[in-house]
Amino acid sequence: MITVLRPGVSKEKVVSLVDWFENQGLKVHLSEGEYQTIIGLIGDTSKIDADMIEVLDIVECVKRISEPYKKANRKFHPEDSIIDVGGVKVGGGNFSIMAGPCSIESEEQILEVAKAVKDAGANILRGGAFKPRTSPYDFQGMRDEGLRLLLKAKEVTGLPIVTEIMNAEHLPLFDDVDLIQVGARNMQNFELLKELGKTNKPILLKRGLANTLKEWLMSAEYIMAGGNENVILCERGIRTYETYTRNTLDLSAVAALRELTHLPVIVDPSHATGIARMVEPMALAATAVGADGLMIEVHNNPEKALCDGAQSLTPDVFAKVVAKVEKIRDVL
Ligand code: PEP
Ligand code: MN
């Protein structure tokens, strides 16, 4: 349930209404916008008489929220959330480009790619250290050593970093990581999500391989319910009957999520298509549809990449994509 207050109500009156709701055993989520304050209520609101609240002089209206996701719901928080990723703002009109290799492979590789993507206009560096591979015989990532090299690249370039976590036990290693990625395969690893909810780290939550928007938002809710509201969603394609592309990029999800949630939504055209030459058109389309940013895989030598070379752009091609994305943003 949400209670929308009239503009300009005094702080004392808000506090006394919040106290009253809390005394009814409800959790209160206060959203103080520029023009309006909204009191979101979480818990069993069935005993609350909405008509009685609505007649209070400070209340404009009371609405029941039928969706099971509350904190992620735009009705709870009408204004776009802006997430601070190591000083880079994501969401609310701030466009972010996250780029780097699928996996960190060596110090030379990550430093070279990090410098190149920064020069091309990326503002967040990606690189996988713990890799969720379909086959146990494939390269599993450099793990702790990979994280150490990524942190070095952060130091050298000044770019904030994003990297994937697969196990909550690894959290102590992520202290200096600016944005923790939950990959598609772990979108419904609820125990992991709960642990991340206890931190105050920004979380990049990728869409599961075959998950609905509602399931995805419920996973965001798991993190937010724990008290961590710094969530960014990433559409990375879903599994359909089509096999030409690695996945099917669901761009309508971006438009739908804009209505359903206040959280920023970025698009990963690399994992969505699996084909380097298709990254540019999908990146442009994602920008045009209103995504808050992009995540793109870039490798200095895609043919030799230990993971996802076929979808990785060279730094030169990446720079051209960024320039075109900027043009689309100018048009918007
Ligand atoms: C990745 O970004 O490295 C990755 C494994 O992506 P996804 O979880 O979307 O497959
Ligand atoms: Mn990859």
Side-chain angles (χ1 to χ4, degrees), residues 147-202:
L147 272 183
R148 193 185 66 74
L149 297 177
L150 188 63
L151 287 166
K152 181 150 194 198
K154 167 180 168 169
E155 201 181 297
V156 170
T157 58
L159 289 176
I161 52 173
V162 52
T163 191
E164 178 165 352
I165 193 164
M166 296 209 293
N167 186 334
E169 281 175 16
H170 296 154
L171 256 174
L173 297 170
F174 284 69
D175 275 351
D176 296 319
V177 170
D178 302 284
L179 175 60
I180 301 181
Q181 175 171 320
V182 174
R185 290 154 190 83
N186 271 315
M187 189 203 87
Q188 287 190 313
N189 181 340
F190 300 119
E191 291 300 318
L192 175 62
L193 301 178
K194 280 188 214 169
E195 287 305 315
L196 295 172
K198 293 180 195 159
T199 75
N200 58 3
K201 285 271 180 203

Side-chain angles (χ1 to χ4, degrees), residues 102 126 131-132 164 181 183-185 206 236 271 295 297:
C102 179
R126 72 149 280 149
K131 295 302 304 174
E164 178 165 352
Q181 175 171 320
R185 290 154 190 83
K206 289 192 141 193
R236 46 76 73 203
H271 291 90
M295 173 175 262
E297 285 191 342

Side-chain angles (χ1 to χ4, degrees), residues 232-259:
I232 300 170
L233 302 169
C234 177
E235 163 61 39
R236 46 76 73 203
I238 47 174
R239 186 161 288 182
T240 65
Y241 51 77
E242 183 55 70
T243 54
Y244 184 73
T245 47
R246 184 174 178 182
N247 292 291
T248 297
L249 181 57
D250 180 10
L251 283 182
S252 62
V254 180
L257 288 169
R258 192 62 76 218
E259 296 171 6

Side-chain angles (χ1 to χ4, degrees), residues 293-331:
L294 298 165
M295 173 175 262
I296 296 179
E297 285 191 342
V298 179
H299 197 285
N300 49 349
N301 191 352
E303 280 120 74
K304 295 264 166 67
L306 296 181
C307 183
D308 288 349
Q311 67 196 32
S312 298
L313 304 186
T314 59
D316 285 356
V317 172
F318 172 68
K320 289 189 185 125
V321 174
V322 173
K324 288 195 186 171
V325 164
E326 294 305 333
K327 283 195 183 149
I328 298 278
R329 292 205 13 95
D330 288 345
V331 174

